[in-house]
Protein backbone atom coordinates (compact mmCIF):
# COMPACT_ATOMS: atom_id res chain seq x y z
CA UNK A 1 0.00 0.00 0.00
CA UNK A 2 1.53 3.30 -0.99
CA UNK A 3 0.64 6.67 0.47
CA UNK A 4 0.21 9.53 -1.96
CA UNK A 5 -1.28 12.40 0.01
CA UNK A 6 -2.97 13.34 3.27
CA UNK A 7 -6.50 14.04 4.43
CA UNK A 8 -7.06 16.71 7.04
CA UNK A 9 -9.91 16.47 9.52
CA UNK A 10 -11.22 19.60 11.22
CA UNK A 11 -13.08 18.86 14.45
CA UNK A 12 -14.03 20.46 17.76
CA UNK A 13 -13.09 24.10 17.93
CA UNK A 14 -10.68 24.61 15.06
CA UNK A 15 -8.59 21.52 15.88
CA UNK A 16 -7.13 19.55 12.99
CA UNK A 17 -5.66 16.09 12.54
CA UNK A 18 -3.86 14.68 9.51
CA UNK A 19 -4.27 11.19 8.10
CA UNK A 20 -2.43 9.39 5.30
CA UNK A 21 -4.39 8.48 2.16
CA UNK A 22 -3.53 4.99 0.92
CA UNK A 23 -3.50 4.48 -2.82
CA UNK A 24 -5.61 1.75 -4.47
CA UNK A 25 -4.48 0.05 -7.71
CA UNK A 26 -7.94 0.85 -9.10
CA UNK A 27 -11.02 2.18 -7.32
CA UNK A 28 -11.26 4.63 -4.44
CA UNK A 29 -8.21 5.42 -2.31
CA UNK A 30 -8.78 5.14 1.45
CA UNK A 31 -8.14 7.50 4.34
CA UNK A 32 -6.12 5.59 6.92
CA UNK A 33 -7.87 6.47 10.18
CA UNK A 34 -6.15 3.94 12.42
CA UNK A 35 -4.65 6.78 14.44
CA UNK A 36 -7.97 8.70 14.69
CA UNK A 37 -8.85 7.73 18.26
CA UNK A 38 -5.32 8.36 19.48
CA UNK A 39 -5.26 11.80 17.83
CA UNK A 40 -8.83 12.98 18.49
CA UNK A 41 -10.39 10.71 21.15
CA UNK A 42 -13.27 10.04 18.72
CA UNK A 43 -14.41 7.07 16.67
CA UNK A 44 -16.02 6.97 13.22
CA UNK A 45 -19.64 5.81 12.90
CA UNK A 46 -20.45 3.61 9.91
CA UNK A 47 -23.08 0.91 10.55
CA UNK A 48 -23.26 -1.44 7.57
CA UNK A 49 -19.73 -0.39 6.52
CA UNK A 50 -21.05 1.98 3.84
CA UNK A 51 -17.76 3.91 3.64
CA UNK A 52 -15.35 1.68 5.52
CA UNK A 53 -12.67 -0.60 4.06
CA UNK A 54 -12.17 -3.35 6.65
CA UNK A 55 -8.97 -4.67 5.05
CA UNK A 56 -6.75 -4.41 2.01
CA UNK A 57 -7.08 -7.24 -0.50
CA UNK A 58 -5.58 -8.33 -3.82
CA UNK A 59 -8.25 -10.89 -4.68
CA UNK A 60 -11.40 -9.33 -6.14
CA UNK A 61 -12.32 -5.90 -7.43
CA UNK A 62 -15.82 -4.58 -8.10
CA UNK A 63 -16.75 -1.31 -9.74
CA UNK A 64 -20.42 -1.15 -8.86
CA UNK A 65 -21.13 1.96 -10.94
CA UNK A 66 -19.66 0.49 -14.10
CA UNK A 67 -20.80 -3.10 -13.47
CA UNK A 68 -17.24 -4.50 -13.41
CA UNK A 69 -16.08 -7.62 -11.56
CA UNK A 70 -12.43 -8.75 -11.66
CA UNK A 71 -10.87 -11.80 -10.01
CA UNK A 72 -7.14 -11.11 -9.53
CA UNK A 73 -7.48 -8.51 -12.29
CA UNK A 74 -9.21 -10.76 -14.85
CA UNK A 75 -12.73 -9.74 -16.01
CA UNK A 76 -15.44 -12.18 -14.97
CA UNK A 77 -16.71 -12.33 -18.58
CA UNK A 78 -13.36 -13.77 -19.78
CA UNK A 79 -13.10 -16.23 -16.91
CA UNK A 80 -16.69 -17.42 -17.39
CA UNK A 81 -16.16 -17.93 -21.13
CA UNK A 82 -12.68 -19.50 -21.13
CA UNK A 83 -12.00 -21.25 -17.83
CA UNK A 84 -13.46 -23.97 -15.69
CA UNK A 85 -14.21 -23.57 -12.00
CA UNK A 86 -11.07 -25.28 -10.73
CA UNK A 87 -8.84 -22.97 -12.80
CA UNK A 88 -10.68 -20.05 -11.19
CA UNK A 89 -10.15 -21.64 -7.76
CA UNK A 90 -6.42 -21.88 -8.45
CA UNK A 91 -6.38 -18.25 -9.57
CA UNK A 92 -8.23 -17.00 -6.48
CA UNK A 93 -6.01 -18.97 -4.12
CA UNK A 94 -2.66 -18.34 -5.78
CA UNK A 95 -3.03 -15.02 -7.58
CA UNK A 96 -2.08 -16.31 -11.06
CA UNK A 97 -3.63 -18.62 -13.64
CA UNK A 98 -2.19 -22.15 -13.49
CA UNK A 99 -0.02 -23.49 -16.32
CA UNK A 100 -0.84 -26.99 -17.61
CA UNK A 101 1.31 -28.77 -15.05
CA UNK A 102 0.08 -26.70 -12.12
CA UNK A 103 -3.50 -27.22 -13.24
CA UNK A 104 -3.02 -30.98 -13.50
CA UNK A 105 -1.55 -31.17 -10.02
CA UNK A 106 -4.25 -28.95 -8.53
CA UNK A 107 -7.10 -30.92 -10.14
CA UNK A 108 -5.46 -34.15 -8.96
CA UNK A 109 -5.15 -32.88 -5.36
CA UNK A 110 -8.75 -31.67 -5.23
CA UNK A 111 -10.03 -34.88 -6.80
CA UNK A 112 -8.22 -36.99 -4.20
CA UNK A 113 -9.71 -35.09 -1.28
CA UNK A 114 -13.37 -35.42 -2.26
CA UNK A 115 -14.31 -38.25 0.11
CA UNK A 116 -15.35 -37.34 3.64
CA UNK A 117 -14.51 -39.34 6.74
CA UNK A 118 -16.99 -42.22 6.83
CA UNK A 119 -18.13 -41.29 10.34
CA UNK A 120 -19.44 -38.00 8.92
CA UNK A 121 -22.44 -39.94 7.59
CA UNK A 122 -23.65 -40.26 11.20
CA UNK A 123 -23.69 -36.50 11.57
CA UNK A 124 -26.00 -36.28 8.57
CA UNK A 125 -28.18 -39.05 9.91
CA UNK A 126 -28.56 -37.21 13.22
CA UNK A 127 -30.61 -34.49 11.53
CA UNK A 128 -34.35 -34.67 10.93
CA UNK A 129 -35.07 -35.62 7.33
CA UNK A 130 -36.99 -32.40 6.81
CA UNK A 131 -34.18 -30.18 8.16
CA UNK A 132 -33.29 -27.32 5.82
CA UNK A 133 -30.13 -28.39 3.92
CA UNK A 134 -28.44 -25.13 4.98
CA UNK A 135 -28.98 -26.06 8.64
CA UNK A 136 -27.36 -29.40 7.87
CA UNK A 137 -24.48 -27.75 6.01
CA UNK A 138 -23.70 -25.23 8.77
CA UNK A 139 -23.54 -28.09 11.28
CA UNK A 140 -21.60 -30.60 9.22
CA UNK A 141 -19.01 -28.16 7.86
CA UNK A 142 -18.39 -26.98 11.43
CA UNK A 143 -18.03 -30.64 12.40
CA UNK A 144 -15.14 -31.08 9.93
CA UNK A 145 -12.89 -29.45 12.53
CA UNK A 146 -13.52 -32.49 14.72
CA UNK A 147 -12.15 -34.79 11.98
CA UNK A 148 -9.10 -33.12 10.46
CA UNK A 149 -6.90 -32.26 13.44
CA UNK A 150 -3.79 -32.60 11.31
CA UNK A 151 -4.48 -29.34 9.44
CA UNK A 152 -5.75 -27.01 12.17
CA UNK A 153 -2.59 -25.06 13.02
CA UNK A 154 -3.41 -21.75 11.38
CA UNK A 155 0.16 -20.53 11.85
CA UNK A 156 1.47 -23.31 9.66
CA UNK A 157 1.15 -22.42 5.92
CA UNK A 158 1.08 -26.09 4.92
CA UNK A 159 -1.84 -26.75 7.32
CA UNK A 160 -3.66 -23.77 5.86
CA UNK A 161 -3.09 -25.08 2.32
CA UNK A 162 -4.31 -28.58 3.18
CA UNK A 163 -7.43 -27.22 4.93
CA UNK A 164 -8.20 -25.07 1.88
CA UNK A 165 -7.92 -28.12 -0.41
CA UNK A 166 -10.08 -30.19 1.89
CA UNK A 167 -12.81 -27.58 2.03
CA UNK A 168 -12.93 -27.00 -1.74
CA UNK A 169 -12.87 -30.75 -2.40
CA UNK A 170 -15.36 -31.88 0.27
CA UNK A 171 -18.02 -29.21 -0.03
CA UNK A 172 -19.60 -30.79 -3.17
CA UNK A 173 -19.71 -34.17 -1.43
CA UNK A 174 -21.31 -32.67 1.67
CA UNK A 175 -23.83 -30.55 -0.24
CA UNK A 176 -24.85 -33.65 -2.22
CA UNK A 177 -25.11 -35.66 1.02
CA UNK A 178 -27.37 -32.99 2.56
CA UNK A 179 -29.61 -33.30 -0.51
CA UNK A 180 -29.64 -37.10 -0.61
CA UNK A 181 -30.44 -37.29 3.08
CA UNK A 182 -33.31 -34.86 2.65
CA UNK A 183 -34.62 -36.93 -0.29
CA UNK A 184 -34.34 -40.23 1.57
CA UNK A 185 -31.92 -41.59 -1.05
CA UNK A 186 -28.58 -43.33 -0.37
CA UNK A 187 -25.42 -41.18 -0.37
CA UNK A 188 -23.48 -41.42 -3.65
CA UNK A 189 -19.67 -41.59 -3.45
CA UNK A 190 -17.49 -39.25 -5.52
CA UNK A 191 -16.13 -40.49 -8.86
CA UNK A 192 -12.56 -39.51 -9.64
CA UNK A 193 -12.95 -39.98 -13.41
CA UNK A 194 -15.35 -37.02 -13.61
CA UNK A 195 -14.66 -33.29 -13.52
CA UNK A 196 -15.35 -31.38 -10.29
CA UNK A 197 -18.77 -30.20 -11.46
CA UNK A 198 -19.81 -33.38 -13.31
CA UNK A 199 -18.89 -35.33 -10.19
CA UNK A 200 -21.04 -33.04 -8.06
CA UNK A 201 -24.00 -33.56 -10.40
CA UNK A 202 -23.63 -37.33 -10.25
CA UNK A 203 -23.43 -37.24 -6.44
CA UNK A 204 -26.64 -35.19 -6.46
CA UNK A 205 -28.63 -37.06 -9.08
CA UNK A 206 -27.28 -40.61 -9.51
CA UNK A 207 -29.15 -43.50 -7.91
CA UNK A 208 -27.82 -47.04 -7.49
CA UNK A 209 -30.60 -48.46 -9.68
CA UNK A 210 -29.36 -46.94 -12.95
CA UNK A 211 -26.38 -45.41 -14.75
CA UNK A 212 -25.95 -41.68 -14.50
CA UNK A 213 -25.35 -39.90 -17.82
CA UNK A 214 -23.42 -36.65 -17.70
CA UNK A 215 -24.97 -33.84 -19.79
CA UNK A 216 -22.14 -31.50 -20.84
CA UNK A 217 -24.38 -28.44 -21.40
CA UNK A 218 -25.82 -28.75 -17.89
CA UNK A 219 -22.39 -29.36 -16.34
CA UNK A 220 -21.05 -26.27 -18.09
CA UNK A 221 -24.02 -24.21 -16.82
CA UNK A 222 -23.47 -25.28 -13.22
CA UNK A 223 -19.73 -24.73 -13.57
CA UNK A 224 -20.52 -21.18 -14.69
CA UNK A 225 -22.75 -20.67 -11.64
CA UNK A 226 -19.79 -21.76 -9.50
CA UNK A 227 -17.43 -19.34 -11.29
CA UNK A 228 -19.83 -16.40 -10.97
CA UNK A 229 -20.30 -17.01 -7.24
CA UNK A 230 -16.68 -17.83 -6.38
CA UNK A 231 -15.79 -14.52 -4.73
CA UNK A 232 -17.23 -11.05 -4.31
CA UNK A 233 -14.80 -9.07 -2.15
CA UNK A 234 -15.83 -8.01 1.37
CA UNK A 235 -19.52 -9.01 1.34
CA UNK A 236 -21.34 -9.99 4.55
CA UNK A 237 -20.39 -13.69 4.58
CA UNK A 238 -16.76 -13.05 3.58
CA UNK A 239 -16.47 -10.41 6.28
CA UNK A 240 -17.96 -12.95 8.69
CA UNK A 241 -15.28 -15.48 7.71
CA UNK A 242 -12.55 -12.87 8.15
CA UNK A 243 -13.92 -11.68 11.49
CA UNK A 244 -14.28 -15.24 12.81
CA UNK A 245 -10.81 -16.10 11.55
CA UNK A 246 -9.29 -12.97 13.09
CA UNK A 247 -9.60 -14.55 16.53
CA UNK A 248 -7.53 -17.53 15.37
CA UNK A 249 -10.53 -19.86 14.95
CA UNK A 250 -9.89 -22.86 12.67
CA UNK A 251 -10.83 -22.62 8.97
CA UNK A 252 -13.64 -25.20 9.13
CA UNK A 253 -15.35 -23.24 11.92
CA UNK A 254 -14.82 -19.97 9.99
CA UNK A 255 -16.37 -21.37 6.80
CA UNK A 256 -19.32 -22.70 8.83
CA UNK A 257 -19.80 -19.11 10.11
CA UNK A 258 -19.69 -17.84 6.51
CA UNK A 259 -22.34 -20.39 5.50
CA UNK A 260 -24.57 -19.25 8.40
CA UNK A 261 -24.31 -15.63 7.23
CA UNK A 262 -24.90 -16.53 3.60
CA UNK A 263 -28.17 -18.22 4.55
CA UNK A 264 -29.93 -14.86 5.14
CA UNK A 265 -32.47 -13.76 2.49
CA UNK A 266 -30.74 -10.40 1.94
CA UNK A 267 -27.58 -12.29 0.91
CA UNK A 268 -27.31 -15.85 -0.40
CA UNK A 269 -30.95 -16.72 0.22
CA UNK A 270 -32.03 -14.24 -2.46
CA UNK A 271 -32.15 -16.66 -5.41
CA UNK A 272 -34.47 -18.95 -3.46
CA UNK A 273 -36.54 -15.89 -2.53
CA UNK A 274 -36.49 -14.65 -6.17
CA UNK A 275 -37.82 -17.95 -7.47
CA UNK A 276 -40.48 -18.13 -4.74
CA UNK A 277 -41.47 -14.59 -5.69
CA UNK A 278 -41.88 -15.59 -9.36
CA UNK A 279 -44.02 -18.58 -8.31
CA UNK A 280 -46.08 -16.28 -6.11
CA UNK A 281 -46.65 -13.76 -8.93
CA UNK A 282 -47.62 -16.72 -11.09
CA UNK A 283 -48.57 -14.90 -14.27
CA UNK A 284 -47.34 -12.03 -16.46
CA UNK A 285 -50.71 -10.26 -15.94
CA UNK A 286 -49.90 -9.89 -12.21
CA UNK A 287 -46.49 -8.23 -12.69
CA UNK A 288 -47.81 -4.64 -12.54
CA UNK A 289 -49.65 -5.28 -9.28
CA UNK A 290 -46.54 -6.87 -7.75
CA UNK A 291 -44.28 -3.98 -8.80
CA UNK A 292 -46.69 -1.54 -7.11
CA UNK A 293 -46.38 -3.56 -3.90
CA UNK A 294 -42.57 -3.69 -4.14
CA UNK A 295 -42.51 0.12 -4.34
CA UNK A 296 -44.70 0.52 -1.27
CA UNK A 297 -42.48 0.64 1.85
CA UNK A 298 -45.41 -0.43 4.06
CA UNK A 299 -46.03 -3.64 2.13
CA UNK A 300 -42.86 -5.34 3.39
CA UNK A 301 -42.43 -6.66 -0.17
CA UNK A 302 -39.19 -6.26 -2.14
CA UNK A 303 -38.42 -7.23 -5.67
CA UNK A 304 -36.12 -10.14 -4.84
CA UNK A 305 -33.09 -10.51 -7.10
CA UNK A 306 -33.07 -6.75 -7.60
CA UNK A 307 -30.73 -4.24 -6.02
CA UNK A 308 -27.25 -4.62 -4.64
CA UNK A 309 -25.18 -2.82 -2.03
CA UNK A 310 -22.32 -2.32 -4.47
CA UNK A 311 -23.70 -2.63 -8.01
CA UNK A 312 -25.57 0.48 -8.99
CA UNK A 313 -25.61 -0.81 -12.57
CA UNK A 314 -26.48 -4.15 -14.19
CA UNK A 315 -24.66 -6.87 -12.20
CA UNK A 316 -22.19 -8.33 -14.76
CA UNK A 317 -22.90 -11.78 -13.34
CA UNK A 318 -26.62 -11.34 -14.04
CA UNK A 319 -25.87 -10.78 -17.76
CA UNK A 320 -23.84 -13.99 -17.93
CA UNK A 321 -26.46 -15.86 -15.96
CA UNK A 322 -29.20 -14.72 -18.31
CA UNK A 323 -27.13 -16.09 -21.22
CA UNK A 324 -26.69 -19.41 -19.39
CA UNK A 325 -30.40 -19.47 -18.72
CA UNK A 326 -31.11 -19.39 -22.49
CA UNK A 327 -28.54 -22.15 -23.14
CA UNK A 328 -29.92 -24.47 -20.49
CA UNK A 329 -33.57 -23.94 -21.36
CA UNK A 330 -32.77 -24.54 -25.05
CA UNK A 331 -30.78 -27.69 -24.27
CA UNK A 332 -33.70 -29.01 -22.25
CA UNK A 333 -36.39 -27.92 -24.75
CA UNK A 334 -37.84 -25.50 -22.18
CA UNK A 335 -37.63 -22.31 -24.28
CA UNK A 336 -41.15 -21.39 -23.21
CA UNK A 337 -40.51 -21.87 -19.52
CA UNK A 338 -43.23 -19.99 -17.62
CA UNK A 339 -41.00 -18.57 -14.90
CA UNK A 340 -38.29 -17.47 -17.33
CA UNK A 341 -40.88 -15.56 -19.40
CA UNK A 342 -42.25 -14.06 -16.22
CA UNK A 343 -38.75 -13.04 -15.07
CA UNK A 344 -38.06 -11.31 -18.39
CA UNK A 345 -41.38 -9.41 -18.23
CA UNK A 346 -40.68 -8.38 -14.64
CA UNK A 347 -37.16 -7.25 -15.48
CA UNK A 348 -38.36 -5.19 -18.46
CA UNK A 349 -41.01 -3.36 -16.45
CA UNK A 350 -38.73 -2.76 -13.46
CA UNK A 351 -35.91 -1.41 -15.65
CA UNK A 352 -38.29 1.19 -17.08
CA UNK A 353 -39.96 2.14 -13.80
CA UNK A 354 -38.88 5.45 -12.23
CA UNK A 355 -38.70 4.00 -8.70
CA UNK A 356 -36.11 1.40 -9.74
CA UNK A 357 -34.29 3.69 -12.20
CA UNK A 358 -33.83 6.49 -9.64
CA UNK A 359 -32.56 4.11 -6.97
CA UNK A 360 -30.30 2.33 -9.48
CA UNK A 361 -31.89 -1.03 -8.75
CA UNK A 362 -30.86 -3.57 -11.39
CA UNK A 363 -31.19 -7.36 -11.52
CA UNK A 364 -28.46 -9.11 -9.53
CA UNK A 365 -27.04 -12.58 -10.20
CA UNK A 366 -29.75 -14.22 -8.13
CA UNK A 367 -32.53 -13.05 -10.37
CA UNK A 368 -31.62 -15.65 -13.04
CA UNK A 369 -29.54 -18.24 -11.20
CA UNK A 370 -32.66 -19.69 -9.52
CA UNK A 371 -34.28 -20.36 -12.90
CA UNK A 372 -31.13 -22.10 -14.17
CA UNK A 373 -30.83 -24.24 -11.05
CA UNK A 374 -34.49 -25.19 -11.17
CA UNK A 375 -34.03 -26.28 -14.81
CA UNK A 376 -31.04 -28.41 -13.72
CA UNK A 377 -33.34 -30.21 -11.28
CA UNK A 378 -31.97 -28.55 -8.15
CA UNK A 379 -34.75 -27.77 -5.65
CA UNK A 380 -35.02 -24.24 -4.26
CA UNK A 381 -34.08 -25.35 -0.75
CA UNK A 382 -30.65 -26.34 -2.14
CA UNK A 383 -29.85 -23.05 -3.88
CA UNK A 384 -27.96 -21.47 -1.00
CA UNK A 385 -26.01 -24.70 -0.48
CA UNK A 386 -24.86 -24.46 -4.11
CA UNK A 387 -23.85 -20.86 -3.46
CA UNK A 388 -21.93 -21.95 -0.33
CA UNK A 389 -20.10 -24.62 -2.33
CA UNK A 390 -19.03 -22.05 -4.93
CA UNK A 391 -18.13 -19.30 -2.42
CA UNK A 392 -16.00 -21.61 -0.26
CA UNK A 393 -12.96 -20.90 -2.44
CA UNK A 394 -13.47 -17.13 -2.09
CA UNK A 395 -13.90 -17.42 1.66
CA UNK A 396 -10.82 -19.56 2.10
CA UNK A 397 -8.71 -17.37 -0.23
CA UNK A 398 -9.73 -14.29 1.78
CA UNK A 399 -9.07 -16.12 5.06
CA UNK A 400 -5.60 -17.17 3.82
CA UNK A 401 -4.85 -13.62 2.71
CA UNK A 402 -5.86 -12.28 6.13
CA UNK A 403 -3.74 -14.74 8.12
CA UNK A 404 -0.69 -14.06 5.93
CA UNK A 405 -1.13 -10.26 6.21
CA UNK A 406 1.47 -8.75 8.59
CA UNK A 407 -1.09 -6.07 9.52
CA UNK A 408 -3.66 -8.67 10.59
CA UNK A 409 -5.29 -8.04 13.98
CA UNK A 410 -8.33 -9.43 15.73
CA UNK A 411 -11.41 -7.62 14.35
CA UNK A 412 -12.92 -5.50 17.09
CA UNK A 413 -15.29 -2.69 15.99
CA UNK A 414 -16.08 0.13 18.39
CA UNK A 415 -19.52 1.61 19.04
CA UNK A 416 -21.47 4.76 19.68
CA UNK A 417 -22.91 4.05 23.13
CA UNK A 418 -26.34 5.69 23.48
CA UNK A 419 -27.68 3.69 26.44
CA UNK A 420 -28.23 4.80 30.04
CA UNK A 421 -25.37 6.74 31.68
CA UNK A 422 -23.82 5.28 34.86
CA UNK A 423 -26.48 4.73 37.54
CA UNK A 424 -26.78 2.90 40.87
CA UNK A 425 -28.76 -0.27 41.36
CA UNK A 426 -32.05 0.11 43.31
CA UNK A 427 -32.86 -2.88 45.60
CA UNK A 428 -35.74 -5.02 44.32
CA UNK A 429 -38.21 -3.98 47.04
CA UNK A 430 -37.74 -0.32 46.06
CA UNK A 431 -38.14 -0.69 42.27
N1 LIG B 1 -37.16 -3.88 -4.11
C1 LIG B 1 -37.72 -2.68 -3.80
N2 LIG B 1 -37.04 -1.65 -3.28
C2 LIG B 1 -35.73 -1.82 -3.03
C3 LIG B 1 -35.07 -3.04 -3.32
C4 LIG B 1 -35.83 -4.10 -3.88
N3 LIG B 1 -35.26 -5.26 -4.17
N4 LIG B 1 -33.79 -2.95 -2.96
C5 LIG B 1 -33.62 -1.70 -2.47
N5 LIG B 1 -34.79 -1.02 -2.52
C6 LIG B 1 -34.99 0.38 -2.15
C7 LIG B 1 -34.91 0.58 -0.64
O1 LIG B 1 -36.18 0.45 -0.04
C8 LIG B 1 -34.36 1.97 -0.56
O2 LIG B 1 -35.40 2.89 -0.86
P1 LIG B 1 -35.41 4.36 -0.17
O3 LIG B 1 -34.15 5.04 -0.60
O4 LIG B 1 -36.64 5.01 -0.72
O5 LIG B 1 -35.48 4.12 1.32
C9 LIG B 1 -33.38 2.06 -1.73
O6 LIG B 1 -33.90 1.12 -2.69
C10 LIG B 1 -31.95 1.73 -1.37
O7 LIG B 1 -31.94 0.42 -0.78
P2 LIG B 1 -31.07 -0.03 0.46
O8 LIG B 1 -31.82 -1.07 1.20
O9 LIG B 1 -30.58 1.16 1.19
O10 LIG B 1 -29.85 -0.68 -0.29
P3 LIG B 1 -28.79 -1.62 0.38
O11 LIG B 1 -27.55 -1.40 -0.40
O12 LIG B 1 -28.73 -1.42 1.85
O13 LIG B 1 -29.41 -3.07 0.14
C11 LIG B 1 -29.93 -5.18 -0.83
C12 LIG B 1 -29.02 -3.92 -0.89
C13 LIG B 1 -29.94 -5.77 0.58
C14 LIG B 1 -29.34 -6.21 -1.78
C15 LIG B 1 -31.35 -4.77 -1.27
O14 LIG B 1 -31.33 -4.19 -2.55
C16 LIG B 1 -32.31 -5.97 -1.25
O15 LIG B 1 -32.83 -6.32 -0.20
N6 LIG B 1 -32.57 -6.61 -2.44
C17 LIG B 1 -33.41 -7.77 -2.50
C18 LIG B 1 -32.67 -9.00 -1.98
C19 LIG B 1 -31.61 -9.48 -2.95
O16 LIG B 1 -31.84 -9.63 -4.14
N7 LIG B 1 -30.41 -9.76 -2.40
C20 LIG B 1 -29.31 -10.31 -3.19
C21 LIG B 1 -28.08 -9.49 -3.05
S1 LIG B 1 -26.87 -10.16 -4.15
C22 LIG B 1 -26.14 -11.42 -3.29
O17 LIG B 1 -26.15 -11.52 -2.08
C23 LIG B 1 -25.46 -12.44 -4.14
Amino acid sequence: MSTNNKAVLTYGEGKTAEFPVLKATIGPDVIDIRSLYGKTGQFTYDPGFLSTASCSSKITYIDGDEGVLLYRGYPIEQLAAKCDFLEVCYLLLNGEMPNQEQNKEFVNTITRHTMVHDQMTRFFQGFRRDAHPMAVLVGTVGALSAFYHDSLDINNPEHRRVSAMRLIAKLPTMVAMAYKYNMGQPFVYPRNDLSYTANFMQMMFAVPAEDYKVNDVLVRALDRIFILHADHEQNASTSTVRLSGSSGANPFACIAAGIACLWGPAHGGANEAALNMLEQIGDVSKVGEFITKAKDKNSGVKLMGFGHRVYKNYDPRAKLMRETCYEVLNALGLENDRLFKLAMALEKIALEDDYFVQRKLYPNVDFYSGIVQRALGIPTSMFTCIFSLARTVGWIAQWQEMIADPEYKIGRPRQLYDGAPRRDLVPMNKR
Side-chain angles (χ1 to χ4, degrees), residues 347-359:
E347 180 189 287
K348 186 166 183 301
I349 295 175
L351 288 178
E352 287 165 359
D353 190 297
D354 257 8
Y355 173 95
F356 295 93
V357 174
Q358 273 169 16
R359 289 170 179 75

Side-chain angles (χ1 to χ4, degrees), residues 189-200:
Y189 283 115
R191 266 180 52 188
N192 288 359
D193 60 322
L194 295 177
S195 71
Y196 184 85
T197 304
N199 176 46
F200 172 63

Side-chain angles (χ1 to χ4, degrees), residues 325-340:
C325 211
Y326 277 114
E327 279 169 25
V328 167
L329 296 177
N330 276 334
L332 295 172
L334 298 170
E335 297 88 343
N336 291 321
D337 180 72
R338 184 176 58 89
L339 293 190
F340 184 54

